[in-house]
Amino acid sequence: MVMAARWATITAIPMRTDHLLTLTQWLSPAYPVGAFAWSHGLERAVSRGDVTDSESLADWLSAVLEYGAGRSDAILLCAAHGAADVTEIADLAAALAPSLERRMETMQQGAAFAATTRAVWGLDLPDMAYPVAVGRAAGLKELPVEPVAQVWLQSFASNLVQAAQRLMPVGQTEGQRVLAGLAPLCAKIGAGAVNASVGDIGSATFAVDIASMQHEADFPRIFRS
């Protein structure tokens, strides 16, 4: 209850300009975490015919956000934001990865984010899973947690839309239309994650998880997951 109250207090604080610019820098495609190399199993889903056009892409990404890693990672991010010690949260985040490639995806991006953020801002930020590293950094910089979680989710979805554009005939305008359609969902999940606990984490995206496992054996391939 105390932690939830603290998050609510932080959320109520308007985002300052420096906070906004820091957040958009951290979650920009230009921030060197290597997000472009990962498809979160989408490459396999496209190759086996599960995702074929913008409509099925939107359905797939909606499921990832609401029932898969999107919601789970948002909860982990918020938990790390309010925690004095993120060790157990970081261990849980690593353990939750359902496949080898998905674990590499979160751990390697997290390590890259932590390394750059340590170097630029001088934060006490060990290498850890990506959402935990972002949540920890946002907490140390006193960024309000709700918009951080919401923009995190949009950034995650944006990276997968860009992956889809390299895998299938979805143009830039159509890709942005898909992403815009996901904005309300990102806002809802991010807001809900603020008052959730790690005990509320759960997922039911079996097709996504199986795709990430099958992707390990795909050859040739463009993405690392």
Side-chain angles (χ1 to χ4, degrees):
M1 293 297 292
V2 173
M3 189 66 70
R6 178 175 178 239
W7 285 345
T9 300
I10 294 173
T11 303
I13 300 172
M15 180 169 272
R16 302 193 322 239
T17 300
D18 60 321
H19 285 167
L20 175 62
L21 295 177
T22 297
L23 176 61
T24 55
Q25 181 176 351
W26 285 352
L27 298 181
S28 162
Y31 210 71
V33 299
F36 62 86
W38 308 92
S39 82
H40 202 78
L42 181 60
E43 182 170 16
R44 177 60 179 171
V46 171
S47 68
R48 71 186 186 189
D50 293 343
V51 180
T52 57
D53 54 21
S54 60
E55 183 177 354
S56 56
L57 174 64
D59 289 342
W60 181 270
L61 296 183
S62 294
V64 171
L65 290 169
E66 190 162 16
Y67 304 112
R71 177 177 177 272
S72 297
D73 284 356
I75 293 173
L76 290 165
L77 184 155
C78 291
H81 184 282
D85 184 351
V86 297
T87 303
E88 291 187 5
I89 300 169
D91 289 345
L92 176 63
L96 286 173
S99 69
L100 173 62
E101 288 189 353
R102 288 274 298 280
R103 189 179 190 280
M104 291 168 59
E105 179 181 325
T106 191
M107 298 305 293
Q108 292 186 17
Q109 288 186 81
F113 175 86
T116 300
T117 309
R118 283 195 306 265
V120 176
W121 282 272
L123 300 181
D124 176 17
L125 195 64
D127 293 354
M128 60 186 89
Y130 193 19
V132 182
V134 173
R136 168 71 173 169
L140 292 173
K141 292 291 289 181
E142 299 184 346
L143 275 64
V145 67
E146 184 173 317
V148 173
Q150 291 168 329
V151 177
W152 158 270
L153 289 162
Q154 186 184 54
S155 175
F156 175 43
S158 177
N159 185 66
L160 295 184
V161 167
Q162 291 180 72
Q165 291 172 329
R166 295 164 64 186
L167 292 166
M168 52 192 286
V170 173
Q172 293 180 339
T173 301
E174 192 62 24
Q176 291 306 307
R177 187 175 289 117
V178 169
L179 188 59
L182 294 171
L185 186 59
C186 293
K188 182 189 80 170
I189 296 169
V194 172
N195 293 316
S197 71
V198 293
D200 296 314
I201 291 174
S203 67
T205 49
F206 303 110
V208 179
D209 296 342
I210 291 171
S212 74
M213 296 173 191
Q214 293 177 337
H215 186 265
E216 297 175 7
D218 273 0
F219 184 82
R221 62 188 188 184
I222 300 173
F223 296 96
R224 299 189 64 192
S225 70

